[in-house]
Amino acid sequence: MDHDLQDYLKTAVGVARKAGDMVKKAYCVDKSVVTKESYADLVTETDQAVERMIIDSLAEKYPTHKFIGEESVSGGKKCEWTDTPTWIIDPIDGTANFVHSIPYNCVCIGLGINRKIVVGIVYLPITDQMYTAVKGQGAFCNDTRISVSKVSDLKNAVVYTEAGNNRHSDTVLTKIENMKNIVFASHGIRCLGSAAVNMCMVAQGSGDAYVEYGIHIWDVAASGIIVEEAGGVLMDPTGSEMDYLSRGILCASSPSVATSISKIIKPLELERD
Ligand code: IPD
Ligand code: CA
């Protein structure tokens, strides 16, 4: 079957803008917050309402398509990724930022066909930045083409990473040890509090790599294709091929930066999506 990827992009950009309006409205008022897997893993009514709206809007236009959404999975739906066109949605990536009125939060909508991501949209509603990519057609921010930096040596790189929201002490200590190793090998680390925002920064050359264990497919599907289409590389943090369900990601401006990071970090075993 032929797929009109530009039509999918156009539709999803419209839905992402509508979602962004909902996030922006809720950003300035008091939020009611509930915790999920740990006291640092947060969800608000806005996350849930935005996800419902995105799924309802896309399902109306594409009734045969499937969905993986963060809040649906939290609510008990199975995370099933098949060859059928599947929209992968994080209604708000950076929910803790949203709760604390930090502007680095975004709506993420990715589309997988035959288990390959072919369209990605990351929209930051507070700063009105719309990052998009379609397989083979480049990456853009607000319609301006973006590309990764030319840095190819880790010692000249800035690396994004995150402590994440898991609060098991072994996990946190391994992450801190990994951060220490990266600091000693590079120009430094940055943590913006959203996997997708970190990846858009790498895609536009504002920093050179991002690595994290603990992410889910919805945090990185849309931003993954944005990094690739901007000329960057994606892999598993162990250095093996990228596996969107494996809970880890390493992306960089060049393969040499990525493999240098991979060699100095300890792996974390996490339950697959
Ligand atoms: C989280 C953010 C955070 C990352 C976590 C993610 P959420 O997503 O991307 O930066 O460290 O691993 O789970 O919960 O805000 O959608
Ligand atoms: Ca989220």
Side-chain angles (χ1 to χ4, degrees), residues 36 40-43 47 70-71 90-98 104-106 108 161-166 175 191-198 210-216 218-220 247:
K36 299 195 282 189
D41 187 7
L42 313 180
V43 63
D47 298 66
E70 173 170 16
E71 307 314 336
D90 189 343
I92 305 180
D93 187 50
T95 298
N97 281 351
F98 169 72
Y104 305 122
N105 55 75
C106 55
C108 304
T161 187
E162 296 284 340
N165 49 30
N166 180 310
K175 284 185 162 221
C191 316
L192 298 183
S194 155
V197 174
N198 291 333
Y210 162 65
V211 63
E212 185 173 353
Y213 276 110
I215 49 83
H216 295 272
W218 45 82
D219 295 314
V220 296
R247 309 286 312 282

Side-chain angles (χ1 to χ4, degrees), residues 60-259:
E60 197 182 340
K61 177 129 196 222
Y62 308 116
T64 60
H65 289 190
K66 297 221 152 92
F67 296 89
I68 295 172
E70 173 170 16
E71 307 314 336
S72 313
V73 172
S74 287
K77 191 168 182 260
K78 265 183 95 183
C79 177
E80 276 178 337
W81 198 19
T82 64
D83 286 349
T84 306
T86 303
W87 295 92
I88 301 161
I89 297 153
D90 189 343
I92 305 180
D93 187 50
T95 298
N97 281 351
F98 169 72
V99 167
H100 291 276
S101 304
I102 299 168
Y104 305 122
N105 55 75
C106 55
V107 175
C108 304
I109 305 179
L111 174 65
I113 301 181
N114 297 322
R115 290 168 55 95
K116 296 265 176 285
I117 309 296
V118 291
V119 174
I121 292 142
V122 173
Y123 181 48
L124 285 74
I126 312 305
T127 52
D128 193 23
Q129 286 165 294
M130 177 72 76
Y131 291 88
T132 60
V134 170
K135 188 90 199 145
Q137 298 180 27
F140 297 83
C141 176
N142 293 348
D143 297 326
T144 299
R145 194 156 184 156
I146 54 172
S147 55
V148 295
S149 76
K150 294 191 167 47
V151 170
S152 58
D153 187 338
L154 178 56
K155 109 173 166 284
N156 300 320
V158 162
V159 181
Y160 292 89
T161 187
E162 296 284 340
N165 49 30
N166 180 310
R167 289 295 176 268
H168 289 118
S169 75
D170 285 355
T171 305
V172 174
L173 292 177
T174 301
K175 284 185 162 221
I176 290 171
E177 175 79 18
N178 287 344
M179 285 180 182
K180 186 196 83 184
N181 292 345
I182 297 168
V183 167
F184 279 117
S186 70
H187 279 180
I189 59 168
R190 301 290 184 273
C191 316
L192 298 183
S194 155
V197 174
N198 291 333
M199 288 171 70
C200 288
M201 291 299 112
V202 174
Q204 70 177 25
S206 306
D208 316 290
Y210 162 65
V211 63
E212 185 173 353
Y213 276 110
I215 49 83
H216 295 272
I217 185 171
W218 45 82
D219 295 314
V220 296
S223 43
I225 186 169
I226 293 171
V227 170
E228 286 182 311
E229 287 297 321
V233 292
L234 287 189
M235 59 178 74
D236 187 85
T238 56
S240 59
E241 201 187 321
M242 177 66 196
D243 171 357
Y244 275 102
L245 300 172
S246 80
R247 309 286 312 282
I249 189 158
L250 169 53
C251 71
S253 52
S254 70
S256 49
V257 169
T259 44

